[in-house]
Amino acid sequence: MTIERTPDLLRKEGKYGQALSALKQIRTKRDLRSSELVLAAELYSLTGDVGAALETAQDLLKRHELTGPQKAAMHAVTARSCFRKGLHADGQLNFKAAINAADRAEDAALACALEVQLFQNEVHWLGPHQTTSNIATVDRKSTRLNSS
């Protein structure tokens, strides 16, 4: 008996290309669910397909059925894609939108992770002296997380 490898499981195993192939196979049989499209956008981003990641994430952000964490994830995909395309201001705005979505969903761990990602992208693409993120805020939030 073999265990079916779902796209989500393949992603968790770091098999991004196989996960995308599995999603494409599912797409031939039926329309993908929102959660599967969110996964596809993340996989496009992880595999370097900036155009597909950006298009999928922006299309999903127009939908009303996304959960708070899914909205945060799609803003983060959009942000990373913008940074990669040299659209740094748009990248910063989308990371801030992702952080706000995580805060509204009361997902403090996700909000902290997104703050760190914003800082990493700013340092990588803009240099250490042009960051807008506040590491002290991340430190306070993460300290609260660890104490609760």
Side-chain angles (χ1 to χ4, degrees), residues 73-134:
M74 291 304 89
H75 278 295
V77 166
T78 301
R80 284 190 297 275
S81 298
C82 287
F83 269 105
R84 289 177 182 155
K85 292 180 80 167
L87 305 169
H88 304 132
D90 289 342
Q92 290 169 317
L93 288 173
N94 275 284
F95 265 123
K96 290 178 188 218
I99 293 161
N100 288 336
D103 283 337
R104 281 191 306 276
E106 297 181 3
D107 191 335
L110 178 58
C112 284
L114 290 165
E115 289 267 9
V116 171
Q117 288 178 38
L118 169 59
F119 182 74
Q120 288 173 323
N121 275 274
E122 288 176 331
V123 169
H124 179 79
W125 296 104
L126 303 173
H129 302 293
Q130 297 192 20
T131 60
T132 61
S133 55
N134 186 344

Side-chain angles (χ1 to χ4, degrees), residues 8-33:
D8 193 47
L9 179 61
L10 290 166
R11 182 199 190 273
K12 288 176 184 170
E13 293 174 352
K15 298 176 180 175
Y16 305 140
Q18 290 178 22
L20 269 174
S21 295
L23 285 172
K24 288 177 184 175
Q25 188 175 18
I26 292 169
R27 185 178 276 158
T28 63
K29 298 174 186 172
R30 63 170 171 77
D31 290 337
L32 295 179
R33 296 180 189 101

